[in-house]
């Protein structure tokens, strides 16, 4: 897994810890931006400086939000949302207090409420460049953004009940406002709203709210909120194992095409799970593969990667494929996948006792991952592989020996099982009932069948789809840029650079909570 | 109709249903009346807050009897309807005291799904069951074992499981299942053997009577040689490999179109 070196340097505090607990929450560890850190002079002064920097950053975000509203350009809001991750790490009560004070010119009910959550007011002694650089416009976007910041902070402080109150109020605010420029922030608000309820195990209560919000978002063609809400609803149903309802939701909604990558990855994962339960393994496999590929590849999303890969392994096994060994060696996945490795090995050699052992040994883990029933289905695959191995090694073998080799109950059972394997096309053989043996047929020339043609078709279709998708995903510069001056081009390039950097960091807040069982 | 009346009706239904000389028609009539009466109170409301626990329990009991009644009258559609209605009482009203019948009925539903070969519904239903019940409840375990044996092809075990059913109601579905299994075994045998002595075919298919075997062989189009007492199956060798021309043309056109886009 390629990991940006800069990032690993930052995480040097304990990559191992991160691996175990992939939640980016870590409220104590004040992460420091390498570039932003001045040479160590004095702890207190440094802290103060950092604080001022954070406040300045957030204020910069206000400007961006205002610009976004003024120009009807969602890009700026997207940037603010992206940097939420880095802002989140630095949030403290004093920072929030000064942010609130910086935005609201005078105190009113809202500020009162926010200060109550933050637990302190902005001290006047704080050194702030209070000079109003930008005109103090009252923008609901900024207001909601501040609320969002406080919500995130409450979450990190584990003050869940207060978070529920505030998020509830914010959701109401968002619904009343109905502004298109608010969509992206609204999606985030819903996300944390659901997160609070999930952590307090009250998810069933908000299903109604989410459903109606989803309906509204669909009508308004609000892609961000829509995709977030669909995923939240699916997660909600999965929490209570209501796969039937989840399936109905999926069949009744269309997932927006321009949804962000992270949301798409999640949706694919959920879809894969539904399909796996419904025994549609081929489709499930495709969805899961997409989920794994679309998910950002860094240590922060380890939780999601682990969950998706676990399911992917099982589905592959159920389809009769054996996952590649290298998958289990990846540093992010190695530890979490150990139980699954044992199951895979058992299936690979077709050893029923080994499979049963692994199953009982890791039963608790599988239950926690909600994969237990899926793994139970594998028993039948173990037997299939066993029979295939026997058929390959012996040209003629008595049913009695088959029975002993596969640890079956009786010879009659062995006969039925072998007969079924023959019918299902697992092996090519015949049974001689009177003499009680199974005879394998000679290998048929696979190139005389339609098999190779199908295999080629699959690959060609995949390549063509890849090409088409990449064409769709490309960004083209607008015509205005072509004719613009050098400076403007420079600015655009600068923006692009920033974008790339932010995309690299993006994602962990979206992927939050995937570490635990779904 | 007041709650008191409904209660009396439900009592009457319970008494009638549990009596050894149960009159199924009469139960059906009582059920019909009760369902209409329940509609007037809080039957299947989505808002559990307004319904009293007593009313909900009453409705649940009636539905449970209804589900069992459907099996006795061999009405699968009606059984499925009752189960669907019961789901909301089992899942959504978690504050109700658990019903003693719950897992027995869920198990029945699972076997019912199996008997109709609705495997994907079976697994979806299975996911809803709590892990501890999944391991320990005899009714659920029975259904799971049954499915495993079916998937593996251990038909012998399915056959012997008939003797250890958790409740008499299961036999109804198991008998349907046996019919499905016979056809499964037959289709497996056709592929696996070139010929089979009739007597052995009988044992494989769980027939004891020679007449049954011959009838079955006729149904499946087996060539029976009366002199040898053997059944011959079609060999798969005469199946010719056909070239899927239409499909290949379609694929080729698809490639051409997409290649054109790239160039």
């Amino acid at each position: 897994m390629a990991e940006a070196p800069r990032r690993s340097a930052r995480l040097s505090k304990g990559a191992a810890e991160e691996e175990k607990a992939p939640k980016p929450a870590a409220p104590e560890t004040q992460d420091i931006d390498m570039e932003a850190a001045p040479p160590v002079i004095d702890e207190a002064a440094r802290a103060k400086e950092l604080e001022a920097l954070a406040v300045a950053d957030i204020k910069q975000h206000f400007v961006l939000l205002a610009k976004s509203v003024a120009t009807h350009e969602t890009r700026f809001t997207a940037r603010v949302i992206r940097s939420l991750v880095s802002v989140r790490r630095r949030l403290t009560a004093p920072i929030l207090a000064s942010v609130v004070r910086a935005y609201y010119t005078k105190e009113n009910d809202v500020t009162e409420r926010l200060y109550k959550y933050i637990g302190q007011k902005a001290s006047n002694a704080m050194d702030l460049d209070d000079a109003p650089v930008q005109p103090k416009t009252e923008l609901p976007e900024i207001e909601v953004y501040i609320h969002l910041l406080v919500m995130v902070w409450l979450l990190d402080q584990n003050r869940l009940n207060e978070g529920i109150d505030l998020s509830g109020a914010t959701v109401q605010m968002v619904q009343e406002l109905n502004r298109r420029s608010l969509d992206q922030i609204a999606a985030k608000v819903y996300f944390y709203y659901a997160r609070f309820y999930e952590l307090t195990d009250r998810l069933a209560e908000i299903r109604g709210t989410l459903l109606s919000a989803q309906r509204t978002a669909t009508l308004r063609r609000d892609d961000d909120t829509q995709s977030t809400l669909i995923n939240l609803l699916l997660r909600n149903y999965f929490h209570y194992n209501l796969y039937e309802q989840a399936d109905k939701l999926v069949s009744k909604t269309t997932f927006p095409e321009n949804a962000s990558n992270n949301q798409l990855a999640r949706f694919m994962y959920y879809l894969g799970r539904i399909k796996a339960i419904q025994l549609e393994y081929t489709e499930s496999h495709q969805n899961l593969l997409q989920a794994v590929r679309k998910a950002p590849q860094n240590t922060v999303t380890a939780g999601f990667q682990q969950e998706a890969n676990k399911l992917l392994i099982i589905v592959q096994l159920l389809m009769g494929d054996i996952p590649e060994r290298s998958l289990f060696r990846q540093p992010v996945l190695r530890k979490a996948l150990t139980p699954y490795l044992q199951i895979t090995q058992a299936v690979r050699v077709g050893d029923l006792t080994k499979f049963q052992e692994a199953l009982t040994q890791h039963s608790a883990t599988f239950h926690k991952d909600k994969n237990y029933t899926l793994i139970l289905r594998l028993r039948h695959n173990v037997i299939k592989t066993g029979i295939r191995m026997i058929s390959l090694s012996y040209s003629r073998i008595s049913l009695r020996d088959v029975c002993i080799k596969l640890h079956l109950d009786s010879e009659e059972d062995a006969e039925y099982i072998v007969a079924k394997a023959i019918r299902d096309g697992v092996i090519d053989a015949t049974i001689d009932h009177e003499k009680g043996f199974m005879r394998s047929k000679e290998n048929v020339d696979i190139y005389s069948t339609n098999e190779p043609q199908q295999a080629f078709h699959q690959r060609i279709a995949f390549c063509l789809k890849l090409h088409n998708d990449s064409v769709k995903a490309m960004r083209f510069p607008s015509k205005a840029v072509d004719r613009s001056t050098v400076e403007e081009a420079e600015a655009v390039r600068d923006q692009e650079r920033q974008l790339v950097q932010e995309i690299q960091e993006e994602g962990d807040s979206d992927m939050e909570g995937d570490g635990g069982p779904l | 109709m007041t709650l008191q009346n409904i209660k009396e009706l439900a009592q009457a239904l319970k008494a009638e249903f549990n009596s050894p000389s149960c009159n199924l028609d009469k139960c059906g009539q009582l059920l019909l009346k009760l369902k209409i009466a329940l509609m007037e109170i809080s039957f299947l409301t989505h808002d559990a807050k307004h319904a009293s626990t007593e009313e909900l329990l009453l409705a649940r009991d009636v539905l449970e009897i209804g589900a069992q009644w459907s099996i006795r009258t061999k009405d699968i559609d009606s059984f499925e309807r009752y189960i669907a209605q019961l789901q909301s009482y089992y899942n959504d009203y978690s504050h109700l005291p658990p019903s003693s019948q719950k897992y027995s009925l869920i198990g029945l539903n699972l076997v019912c799904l199996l008997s109709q070969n609705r495997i994907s519904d079976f697994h979806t239903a299975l996911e809803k069951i709590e892990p501890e019940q999944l391991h320990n409840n005899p009714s659920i375990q029975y259904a799971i074992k049954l499915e495993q044996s079916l998937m593996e092809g251990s038909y012998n075990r399915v056959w012997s499981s008939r003797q250890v059913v958790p409740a008499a109601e299961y036999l109804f579905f198991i008998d349907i299942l046996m019919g499905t299994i016979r056809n499964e075994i037959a289709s497996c045998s056709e592929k696996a053997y070139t010929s089979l002595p009739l007597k052995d075919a009988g044992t494989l298919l769980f027939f004891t009577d020679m007449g049954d075997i011959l009838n079955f062989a006729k149904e499946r189009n087996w060539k029976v040689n009366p002199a040898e007492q053997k059944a011959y199956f079609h060999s798969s060798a005469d199946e010719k490999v056909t070239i899927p021309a239409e499909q290949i043309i379609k694929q080729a056109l698809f490639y051409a179109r997409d290649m054109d886009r790239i160039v």
Side-chain angles (χ1 to χ4, degrees):
Chain A
M1 209 192 72
E3 190 179 282
R6 215 181 112 254
R7 178 149 203 105
S8 61
R10 262 213 240 169
L11 287 171
S12 62
K13 271 203 176 135
E17 278 169 43
E18 278 281 331
E19 199 179 313
K20 246 196 264 167
K23 293 229 177 100
E28 290 90 12
T29 44
Q30 267 250 348
D31 241 45
I32 300 144
D33 251 336
M34 300 293 265
E35 310 86 274
V40 189
I41 314 161
D42 178 15
E43 277 300 310
R46 202 176 135 207
K48 198 147 205 176
E49 193 153 334
L50 279 175
E51 215 164 77
L53 261 173
V55 174
D57 269 1
I58 294 171
K59 276 189 178 167
Q60 176 63 30
H61 290 157
F62 290 172
V63 179
L64 281 172
L65 284 172
K67 201 164 155 195
S68 168
V69 174
T71 55
H72 298 289
E73 184 72 80
T74 54
R75 222 174 46 215
F76 301 114
T77 316
R79 268 181 64 188
V80 173
I81 295 291
R82 278 212 190 93
S83 43
L84 190 65
V85 182
S86 67
V87 170
R88 179 182 179 169
R89 277 194 226 109
R90 298 183 290 180
L91 283 182
T92 58
I95 292 179
L96 281 170
S98 39
V99 165
V100 171
R101 206 182 64 134
Y103 173 65
Y104 293 100
T105 34
K106 51 185 179 289
E107 299 202 356
N108 52 23
D109 291 355
V110 184
T111 48
E112 193 115 318
R113 211 175 56 214
L114 287 175
Y115 283 136
K116 202 185 82 208
Y117 288 120
I118 298 166
Q120 68 179 93
K121 286 195 178 190
S123 55
N124 288 329
M126 269 273 286
D127 188 35
L128 289 170
D129 45 328
D130 250 344
V133 188
Q134 78 273 17
K136 294 248 174 192
T137 39
E138 297 259 329
L139 272 180
E141 281 77 14
I142 300 181
E143 209 172 327
V144 175
Y145 180 61
I146 294 177
H147 277 77
L148 182 64
L149 286 180
V150 179
M151 266 159 70
V152 175
W153 180 72
L154 283 176
L155 181 67
D156 288 345
Q157 302 283 312
N158 216 12
R159 283 158 62 182
L160 301 175
N161 284 323
E162 287 164 270
I164 285 182
D165 292 343
L166 177 64
S167 61
T170 320
V171 162
Q172 212 176 356
M173 195 161 113
V174 169
Q175 281 174 349
E176 277 163 16
L177 281 167
N178 183 19
R179 283 166 71 103
R180 290 291 62 74
S181 46
L182 202 61
D183 288 349
Q184 286 168 301
I185 310 175
K188 279 279 164 210
V189 169
Y190 281 117
F191 177 80
Y192 287 106
Y193 173 63
R195 184 82 187 131
F196 279 122
Y197 277 90
E198 186 182 331
L199 288 175
T200 43
D201 205 16
R202 284 164 60 185
L203 271 180
E205 291 168 34
I206 54 165
R207 223 177 273 157
T209 321
L210 292 182
L211 278 168
S212 65
Q214 205 272 327
R215 204 163 47 223
T216 327
T218 313
L219 287 175
R220 291 179 186 157
R221 300 194 167 276
D222 169 0
D223 286 346
D224 293 296
T225 317
Q226 210 181 326
S227 55
T228 312
L229 282 171
I230 290 179
N231 281 335
L232 287 175
L233 278 166
L234 286 177
R235 191 183 173 86
N236 200 323
Y237 287 134
F238 277 32
H239 188 82
Y240 297 98
N241 288 340
L242 299 170
Y243 294 103
E244 233 174 301
Q245 265 140 299
D247 181 41
K248 293 219 168 89
L249 177 74
V250 171
S251 64
K252 296 278 182 294
T253 49
T254 39
F255 195 76
E257 259 181 48
N258 346 339
S260 81
N261 240 355
N262 293 342
Q263 295 298 347
L264 189 64
R266 277 173 164 236
F267 182 70
M268 283 295 159
Y269 169 73
Y270 291 140
L271 211 59
R273 186 166 269 274
I274 295 177
K275 294 285 176 215
I277 283 164
Q278 294 177 335
L279 290 103
E280 291 169 35
Y281 300 131
T282 327
E283 243 173 272
S284 168
H285 182 243
Q286 274 172 4
N287 291 331
L288 288 171
L289 213 57
Q290 279 220 44
V292 171
R293 287 190 186 148
K294 296 240 177 198
Q297 306 285 318
N298 54 39
T299 41
V300 186
T301 59
F304 181 81
Q305 287 179 50
Q306 285 167 2
E307 290 298 311
N309 273 309
K310 281 175 193 171
L311 199 56
L312 185 62
I313 290 169
I314 300 174
V315 171
Q316 268 184 323
L317 288 175
L318 281 168
M319 282 171 48
D321 296 345
I322 303 292
E324 276 179 40
R325 185 68 177 80
S326 58
L327 180 70
F328 297 96
R329 290 211 191 90
Q330 285 177 23
V332 200
L333 307 171
R334 208 189 62 225
K335 207 158 162 201
L337 292 186
T338 322
Y340 293 85
L341 177 64
Q342 288 185 19
I343 291 284
T344 310
Q345 280 164 342
V347 175
R348 201 173 69 89
V349 291
D351 188 340
L352 210 54
T353 25
K354 214 168 148 195
F355 175 75
Q356 217 64 30
E357 260 169 39
L359 189 65
T360 32
Q361 193 190 336
H362 301 288
S363 155
T365 323
F366 295 143
H367 272 301
K368 208 176 110 258
D369 296 341
K370 294 202 176 183
N371 287 334
Y372 186 77
T373 44
L374 284 176
I375 291 176
L376 271 189
R377 290 186 210 170
L378 277 173
R379 199 188 124 82
H380 152 217
N381 283 58
V382 179
I383 295 179
K384 264 202 211 162
T385 334
I387 293 181
R388 195 183 299 151
M389 303 288 259
I390 292 176
S391 158
L392 283 177
S393 355
Y394 299 89
S395 63
R396 218 175 84 168
I397 182 168
S398 77
L399 288 171
R400 207 184 146 59
D401 287 339
V402 173
C403 168
I404 294 166
K405 276 187 190 300
L406 294 177
H407 312 285
L408 299 173
D409 295 349
S410 66
E411 239 173 281
E412 284 82 40
D413 261 348
E415 188 166 349
Y416 284 125
I417 291 171
V418 171
K420 190 167 189 287
I422 294 173
R423 194 208 40 183
D424 294 347
V426 178
I427 52 171
D428 203 7
T430 51
I431 303 175
D432 194 319
H433 184 80
E434 282 119 18
K435 298 193 186 107
F437 63 76
M438 157 185 132
R439 182 206 305 272
S440 309
K441 280 186 192 160
E442 292 297 310
N443 278 352
V444 261
D445 178 20
I446 194 134
Y447 286 98
S448 66
T449 63
N450 288 322
E451 234 9 78
Q453 151 80 8
Q454 272 159 15
F456 279 131
H457 172 67
Q458 225 174 10
R459 287 172 209 186
I460 296 173
F462 178 80
C463 290
L464 290 175
K465 190 168 179 299
L466 189 69
H467 173 260
N468 285 344
D469 285 352
S470 0
V471 170
K472 264 189 221 162
M474 269 194 250
R475 272 170 61 112
F476 297 100
S478 60
K479 273 186 191 140
V481 178
D482 286 341
R483 276 179 263 119
S484 65
T485 56
V486 183
E487 284 122 75
E488 266 177 68
E490 196 65 37
V492 168
R493 216 167 303 143
D494 205 45
Q495 267 178 12
E496 289 279 315
R497 246 201 313 279
Q498 225 167 355
L499 193 72
V500 169
Q501 187 201 331
E502 276 159 0
I503 285 174
Q504 270 181 355
E505 294 186 5
E506 179 192 19
D508 47 356
S509 76
D510 252 6
M511 290 298 171
E512 173 172 32
D514 279 323
L518 278 164
Chain B
M1 213 184 279
T2 63
L3 189 60
Q4 195 54 41
N5 287 350
I6 301 175
K7 257 195 209 157
E8 277 163 21
L9 261 180
Q11 279 301 328
L13 173 69
K14 230 181 245 175
E16 179 66 40
F17 191 74
N18 290 330
S19 75
S21 59
C22 154
N23 183 346
L24 288 176
D25 289 338
K26 199 175 163 204
C27 286
Q29 281 162 13
L30 279 172
L31 270 170
L32 200 65
K33 265 194 215 161
L34 268 171
K35 277 194 278 185
I36 298 171
L38 283 172
M39 289 308 281
E40 288 167 15
I41 54 171
S42 55
F43 183 54
L44 284 181
T45 46
H46 72 284
D47 203 356
K49 279 171 213 134
H50 300 305
S52 70
T53 312
E54 200 186 1
E55 287 173 9
L56 290 172
L57 280 178
L58 192 65
R60 196 178 69 183
D61 285 349
V62 171
L63 287 175
E64 280 175 348
I65 293 180
Q68 284 165 334
W69 171 81
S70 322
I71 292 179
R72 286 208 204 165
T73 52
K74 304 199 184 314
D75 186 347
I76 295 180
D77 288 342
S78 143
F79 172 73
E80 280 173 4
R81 271 199 300 278
Y82 279 114
I83 288 290
Q85 289 168 356
L86 274 171
Q87 291 294 353
S88 76
Y89 285 89
Y90 289 150
N91 294 329
D92 299 339
Y93 304 137
S94 43
H95 59 281
L96 290 183
S99 154
S100 57
Q101 297 285 322
K102 178 176 171 185
Y103 288 101
S104 169
L105 280 172
I106 291 184
L108 262 179
N109 185 38
L110 289 176
V111 180
C112 168
L113 291 172
L114 274 185
S115 73
Q116 299 173 42
N117 212 8
R118 284 159 59 186
I119 306 290
S120 117
D121 289 336
F122 173 88
H123 283 292
T124 318
L126 208 59
E127 289 293 326
K128 259 189 256 174
I129 301 166
E130 303 84 353
E132 60 272 25
Q133 296 293 343
L134 211 59
H135 281 291
N136 304 325
N137 194 292
S139 313
I140 308 292
Q141 269 296 314
Y142 179 77
I144 293 178
K145 288 242 170 70
L146 205 59
E147 194 263 353
Q148 260 183 14
S149 318
L150 271 179
M151 290 315 278
E152 275 167 34
S154 321
Y155 299 119
N156 219 4
R157 239 190 272 158
V158 182
W159 180 253
S160 54
S161 73
R162 207 173 173 282
Q163 269 87 50
V164 290
V165 281
E169 279 91 359
Y170 283 75
L171 281 177
F172 171 55
F173 291 118
I174 297 289
D175 286 338
I176 300 177
L177 199 57
M178 278 344 277
T180 330
I181 288 177
R182 278 209 182 102
N183 279 319
E184 279 281 303
I185 299 176
S187 81
C188 290
S189 312
E190 282 164 17
K191 289 268 157 48
Y193 307 100
T194 42
S195 70
L196 200 61
L198 279 179
K199 223 171 118 257
D200 294 336
T203 14
L204 279 179
L205 294 164
F206 311 110
F207 282 125
T208 41
D209 188 53
M210 198 44 120
D212 286 342
I213 303 172
L214 287 173
N215 277 338
F216 190 80
K218 213 170 177 184
E219 255 174 59
R220 307 263 337 170
N221 256 337
W222 292 348
K223 285 178 209 130
V224 179
N225 187 334
E228 282 178 302
Q229 285 287 310
K230 266 187 174 179
Y232 286 91
F233 310 112
H234 333 269
S235 70
S236 51
D238 17 289
E239 278 173 36
K240 269 189 197 138
V241 183
T242 48
I243 296 170
E246 199 180 337
Q247 196 194 342
I248 291 179
I249 294 171
K250 260 191 204 151
Q251 284 173 3
L253 286 174
F254 168 72
Y255 302 152
R257 202 185 57 222
D258 275 51
M259 295 286 263
D260 199 41
R261 261 191 224 158
I262 296 175
V263 183

